[in-house]
Amino acid sequence: MDTNILKIAIIDNDEALNPIYRQYFDGEENYELHGIYKSVHALLSDFGRSYPDIILCESVLNGFSGIDGLEYFHKKNPNLKVLMMSQKNDFKLIKEAFKKGASGFLLKPLTKERLFQSIEEVNQHGVALELDVAKKIISSFQTKTFDSFSRKENEIIELLTQGFTYKMIADKLCVTPSAVNFHIQNIYVKLNVNSKAEALQKLKEMELRQLNAA
């Protein structure tokens, strides 16, 4: 068998998708379907025979999750590439997957074109990230939200750090300048500062702590 053929293992507990996966791989010359499994354990138990090159794994499985399985896959083969997939475009789920060693994150349902494009990307470049997932990640880091502030206060903080004046914030949020001033004063109290410059510095420090903890 051609050594350039990529062996792909799929873990998905939705058995209704099995015929679709098999149809995708039917007649493909560059890819071999190593197997379709319902659980992480089922694939790990099969590792004695041969290893796949790339695993496509549902992130949320009954019992042992696909994300938890990443550690065990890499113990078997540190060079193994694992593409996580989910119907949920959830930042916390995506972040956890990449923290634990995922090589990519795909949104279901998968078309044949998207599936093989992602497989090629992770094979060639080591990572595969779809546009919608990338947008979610970027948005999560760009939007400043702090647990100690209310939703309205976070909206004002976001605009304040972008350089908006109080009047511009009032126009943007369709509220009165006095309402903005009321929220600004509450923000100052929570930050324990007395000026806009002090507030911006404190917010910058808080944002850096959040990013470092992400």
Short mmCIF file of all heavy atoms in Angstrom, two decimals, residues 45-79:
data_model
loop_
_atom_site.label_atom_id
_atom_site.label_comp_id
_atom_site.label_asym_id
_atom_site.label_seq_id
_atom_site.Cartn_x
_atom_site.Cartn_y
_atom_site.Cartn_z
N SER A 45 -8.38 0.67 22.19
CA SER A 45 -8.28 -0.79 22.25
C SER A 45 -7.82 -1.38 20.92
O SER A 45 -7.28 -2.48 20.88
CB SER A 45 -9.65 -1.39 22.63
OG SER A 45 -10.06 -0.94 23.89
N ASP A 46 -8.02 -0.63 19.86
CA ASP A 46 -7.66 -1.10 18.52
C ASP A 46 -6.26 -0.66 18.10
O ASP A 46 -5.80 -0.99 17.01
CB ASP A 46 -8.69 -0.56 17.51
CG ASP A 46 -8.78 -1.42 16.26
OD1 ASP A 46 -8.55 -2.64 16.35
OD2 ASP A 46 -9.08 -0.86 15.19
N PHE A 47 -5.59 0.11 18.96
CA PHE A 47 -4.29 0.66 18.60
C PHE A 47 -3.20 -0.40 18.50
O PHE A 47 -2.14 -0.14 17.98
CB PHE A 47 -3.86 1.72 19.63
CG PHE A 47 -4.22 3.13 19.20
CD1 PHE A 47 -5.22 3.36 18.29
CD2 PHE A 47 -3.55 4.21 19.73
CE1 PHE A 47 -5.55 4.64 17.91
CE2 PHE A 47 -3.87 5.51 19.36
CZ PHE A 47 -4.88 5.71 18.45
N GLY A 48 -3.45 -1.60 19.01
CA GLY A 48 -2.43 -2.64 18.93
C GLY A 48 -2.14 -3.09 17.52
O GLY A 48 -1.04 -3.52 17.20
N ARG A 49 -3.15 -3.00 16.65
CA ARG A 49 -2.98 -3.46 15.26
C ARG A 49 -2.22 -2.43 14.42
O ARG A 49 -1.22 -2.74 13.80
CB ARG A 49 -4.35 -3.73 14.62
CG ARG A 49 -5.11 -4.89 15.24
CD ARG A 49 -6.32 -5.24 14.40
NE ARG A 49 -7.26 -4.11 14.27
CZ ARG A 49 -7.39 -3.40 13.15
NH1 ARG A 49 -6.65 -3.66 12.09
NH2 ARG A 49 -8.26 -2.41 13.10
N SER A 50 -2.73 -1.21 14.41
CA SER A 50 -2.09 -0.16 13.61
C SER A 50 -2.54 1.20 14.14
O SER A 50 -3.54 1.30 14.85
CB SER A 50 -2.46 -0.29 12.13
OG SER A 50 -3.86 -0.11 11.96
N TYR A 51 -1.79 2.21 13.77
CA TYR A 51 -2.09 3.56 14.22
C TYR A 51 -2.62 4.40 13.05
O TYR A 51 -2.05 4.35 11.95
CB TYR A 51 -0.85 4.25 14.78
CG TYR A 51 -0.33 3.67 16.07
CD1 TYR A 51 0.66 2.69 16.06
CD2 TYR A 51 -0.83 4.11 17.29
CE1 TYR A 51 1.14 2.16 17.25
CE2 TYR A 51 -0.35 3.59 18.48
CZ TYR A 51 0.63 2.62 18.45
OH TYR A 51 1.10 2.08 19.63
N PRO A 52 -3.66 5.20 13.30
CA PRO A 52 -4.07 6.15 12.27
C PRO A 52 -3.09 7.32 12.22
O PRO A 52 -2.32 7.53 13.17
CB PRO A 52 -5.45 6.61 12.74
CG PRO A 52 -5.39 6.46 14.23
CD PRO A 52 -4.51 5.28 14.50
N ASP A 53 -3.09 8.05 11.13
CA ASP A 53 -2.27 9.26 11.03
C ASP A 53 -3.00 10.46 11.64
O ASP A 53 -2.40 11.33 12.25
CB ASP A 53 -1.94 9.56 9.57
CG ASP A 53 -1.14 8.45 8.92
OD1 ASP A 53 -0.03 8.16 9.42
OD2 ASP A 53 -1.63 7.85 7.94
N ILE A 54 -4.32 10.47 11.43
CA ILE A 54 -5.15 11.58 11.90
C ILE A 54 -6.43 11.01 12.50
O ILE A 54 -7.03 10.09 11.94
CB ILE A 54 -5.48 12.55 10.75
CG1 ILE A 54 -4.20 13.19 10.21
CG2 ILE A 54 -6.46 13.64 11.21
CD1 ILE A 54 -4.40 14.02 8.95
N ILE A 55 -6.84 11.57 13.62
CA ILE A 55 -8.10 11.19 14.25
C ILE A 55 -9.09 12.35 14.14
O ILE A 55 -8.75 13.49 14.41
CB ILE A 55 -7.91 10.83 15.74
CG1 ILE A 55 -7.01 9.61 15.88
CG2 ILE A 55 -9.26 10.55 16.40
CD1 ILE A 55 -6.65 9.29 17.32
N LEU A 56 -10.29 12.04 13.72
CA LEU A 56 -11.38 13.00 13.70
C LEU A 56 -12.32 12.59 14.83
O LEU A 56 -12.91 11.52 14.80
CB LEU A 56 -12.11 12.95 12.36
CG LEU A 56 -13.26 13.92 12.14
CD1 LEU A 56 -12.73 15.35 12.07
CD2 LEU A 56 -14.02 13.58 10.87
N CYS A 57 -12.44 13.43 15.87
CA CYS A 57 -13.10 13.00 17.09
C CYS A 57 -14.16 14.00 17.56
O CYS A 57 -13.89 15.19 17.69
CB CYS A 57 -12.06 12.79 18.19
SG CYS A 57 -12.74 12.16 19.74
N GLU A 58 -15.36 13.49 17.83
CA GLU A 58 -16.41 14.29 18.45
C GLU A 58 -15.93 14.74 19.83
O GLU A 58 -15.39 13.95 20.60
CB GLU A 58 -17.68 13.45 18.57
CG GLU A 58 -18.76 14.05 19.45
CD GLU A 58 -19.31 15.36 18.91
OE1 GLU A 58 -19.74 15.39 17.75
OE2 GLU A 58 -19.32 16.35 19.67
N SER A 59 -16.09 16.02 20.13
CA SER A 59 -15.57 16.55 21.40
C SER A 59 -16.40 16.11 22.60
O SER A 59 -15.87 15.89 23.68
CB SER A 59 -15.52 18.08 21.33
OG SER A 59 -16.80 18.61 21.08
N VAL A 60 -17.71 16.00 22.41
CA VAL A 60 -18.59 15.62 23.52
C VAL A 60 -19.13 14.21 23.26
O VAL A 60 -19.92 13.99 22.34
CB VAL A 60 -19.76 16.61 23.67
CG1 VAL A 60 -20.66 16.19 24.82
CG2 VAL A 60 -19.24 18.02 23.90
N LEU A 61 -18.68 13.26 24.06
CA LEU A 61 -19.11 11.87 23.95
C LEU A 61 -19.71 11.42 25.27
O LEU A 61 -19.43 12.01 26.31
CB LEU A 61 -17.92 10.97 23.58
CG LEU A 61 -17.25 11.22 22.23
CD1 LEU A 61 -15.91 10.51 22.19
CD2 LEU A 61 -18.14 10.75 21.09
N ASN A 62 -20.51 10.39 25.22
CA ASN A 62 -21.05 9.84 26.46
C ASN A 62 -19.91 9.24 27.29
O ASN A 62 -19.10 8.48 26.78
CB ASN A 62 -22.09 8.75 26.15
CG ASN A 62 -23.30 9.31 25.44
OD1 ASN A 62 -23.68 10.45 25.65
ND2 ASN A 62 -23.92 8.51 24.58
N GLY A 63 -19.86 9.59 28.56
CA GLY A 63 -18.79 9.08 29.41
C GLY A 63 -17.50 9.84 29.18
O GLY A 63 -17.42 11.04 29.44
N PHE A 64 -16.49 9.18 28.65
CA PHE A 64 -15.16 9.75 28.42
C PHE A 64 -15.21 10.66 27.20
O PHE A 64 -15.44 10.19 26.08
CB PHE A 64 -14.17 8.61 28.22
CG PHE A 64 -12.75 8.97 28.56
CD1 PHE A 64 -12.36 9.22 29.86
CD2 PHE A 64 -11.79 9.03 27.56
CE1 PHE A 64 -11.06 9.55 30.17
CE2 PHE A 64 -10.48 9.35 27.86
CZ PHE A 64 -10.11 9.61 29.17
N SER A 65 -14.99 11.95 27.37
CA SER A 65 -15.12 12.89 26.26
C SER A 65 -13.96 12.79 25.29
O SER A 65 -12.88 12.31 25.63
CB SER A 65 -15.23 14.32 26.78
OG SER A 65 -13.96 14.80 27.18
N GLY A 66 -14.20 13.29 24.08
CA GLY A 66 -13.14 13.31 23.08
C GLY A 66 -11.98 14.19 23.51
O GLY A 66 -10.82 13.88 23.22
N ILE A 67 -12.28 15.29 24.17
CA ILE A 67 -11.23 16.20 24.63
C ILE A 67 -10.36 15.52 25.69
O ILE A 67 -9.13 15.64 25.67
CB ILE A 67 -11.84 17.51 25.16
CG1 ILE A 67 -12.47 18.29 23.99
CG2 ILE A 67 -10.79 18.37 25.85
CD1 ILE A 67 -13.17 19.56 24.39
N ASP A 68 -10.98 14.78 26.60
CA ASP A 68 -10.20 14.03 27.60
C ASP A 68 -9.35 12.95 26.94
O ASP A 68 -8.29 12.59 27.46
CB ASP A 68 -11.14 13.38 28.62
CG ASP A 68 -11.79 14.40 29.55
OD1 ASP A 68 -11.20 15.48 29.73
OD2 ASP A 68 -12.89 14.12 30.06
N GLY A 69 -9.80 12.46 25.80
CA GLY A 69 -9.06 11.41 25.10
C GLY A 69 -7.76 11.90 24.47
O GLY A 69 -6.87 11.09 24.16
N LEU A 70 -7.62 13.21 24.29
CA LEU A 70 -6.42 13.75 23.64
C LEU A 70 -5.14 13.32 24.35
O LEU A 70 -4.16 12.95 23.69
CB LEU A 70 -6.50 15.28 23.59
CG LEU A 70 -7.47 15.86 22.55
CD1 LEU A 70 -7.80 17.32 22.87
CD2 LEU A 70 -6.87 15.74 21.16
N GLU A 71 -5.14 13.35 25.66
CA GLU A 71 -3.96 12.96 26.43
C GLU A 71 -3.56 11.52 26.15
O GLU A 71 -2.37 11.21 25.99
CB GLU A 71 -4.25 13.14 27.92
CG GLU A 71 -3.12 12.69 28.84
CD GLU A 71 -3.50 12.76 30.30
OE1 GLU A 71 -4.60 13.27 30.63
OE2 GLU A 71 -2.69 12.31 31.14
N TYR A 72 -4.54 10.65 26.04
CA TYR A 72 -4.26 9.23 25.83
C TYR A 72 -3.83 8.94 24.40
O TYR A 72 -2.97 8.08 24.16
CB TYR A 72 -5.50 8.41 26.20
CG TYR A 72 -5.82 8.49 27.66
CD1 TYR A 72 -6.65 9.50 28.16
CD2 TYR A 72 -5.28 7.59 28.58
CE1 TYR A 72 -6.93 9.61 29.51
CE2 TYR A 72 -5.55 7.69 29.94
CZ TYR A 72 -6.37 8.70 30.39
OH TYR A 72 -6.64 8.80 31.73
N PHE A 73 -4.39 9.67 23.44
CA PHE A 73 -3.95 9.52 22.06
C PHE A 73 -2.47 9.88 21.92
O PHE A 73 -1.70 9.17 21.26
CB PHE A 73 -4.78 10.42 21.13
CG PHE A 73 -6.24 10.07 21.06
CD1 PHE A 73 -7.20 11.06 20.95
CD2 PHE A 73 -6.65 8.75 21.11
CE1 PHE A 73 -8.55 10.75 20.88
CE2 PHE A 73 -8.01 8.42 21.04
CZ PHE A 73 -8.95 9.43 20.93
N HIS A 74 -2.08 10.98 22.55
CA HIS A 74 -0.70 11.45 22.42
C HIS A 74 0.28 10.59 23.21
O HIS A 74 1.48 10.58 22.91
CB HIS A 74 -0.61 12.92 22.81
CG HIS A 74 -1.29 13.83 21.84
ND1 HIS A 74 -2.13 14.86 22.22
CD2 HIS A 74 -1.27 13.86 20.48
CE1 HIS A 74 -2.58 15.48 21.14
NE2 HIS A 74 -2.08 14.89 20.08
N LYS A 75 -0.22 9.88 24.23
CA LYS A 75 0.65 8.93 24.92
C LYS A 75 0.97 7.76 24.01
O LYS A 75 2.08 7.21 24.04
CB LYS A 75 -0.03 8.43 26.20
CG LYS A 75 0.05 9.40 27.37
CD LYS A 75 -0.58 8.80 28.62
CE LYS A 75 -0.47 9.75 29.81
NZ LYS A 75 -1.12 9.19 31.03
N LYS A 76 0.01 7.36 23.19
CA LYS A 76 0.21 6.27 22.23
C LYS A 76 1.14 6.70 21.11
O LYS A 76 1.99 5.94 20.65
CB LYS A 76 -1.13 5.84 21.65
CG LYS A 76 -2.07 5.16 22.64
CD LYS A 76 -1.63 3.74 22.94
CE LYS A 76 -2.66 3.02 23.79
NZ LYS A 76 -2.26 1.63 24.09
N ASN A 77 0.95 7.94 20.66
CA ASN A 77 1.75 8.46 19.55
C ASN A 77 1.81 9.99 19.66
O ASN A 77 0.84 10.68 19.33
CB ASN A 77 1.15 8.05 18.21
CG ASN A 77 1.95 8.59 17.03
OD1 ASN A 77 2.99 9.20 17.20
ND2 ASN A 77 1.46 8.34 15.82
N PRO A 78 2.94 10.55 20.12
CA PRO A 78 3.06 12.00 20.31
C PRO A 78 2.85 12.80 19.04
O PRO A 78 2.50 13.99 19.10
CB PRO A 78 4.50 12.17 20.83
CG PRO A 78 4.87 10.83 21.38
CD PRO A 78 4.16 9.82 20.53
N ASN A 79 3.07 12.18 17.88
CA ASN A 79 2.95 12.89 16.61
C ASN A 79 1.55 12.80 16.01
O ASN A 79 1.31 13.33 14.92
CB ASN A 79 3.96 12.33 15.60
CG ASN A 79 5.40 12.55 16.06
OD1 ASN A 79 5.73 13.61 16.57
ND2 ASN A 79 6.24 11.54 15.90
#
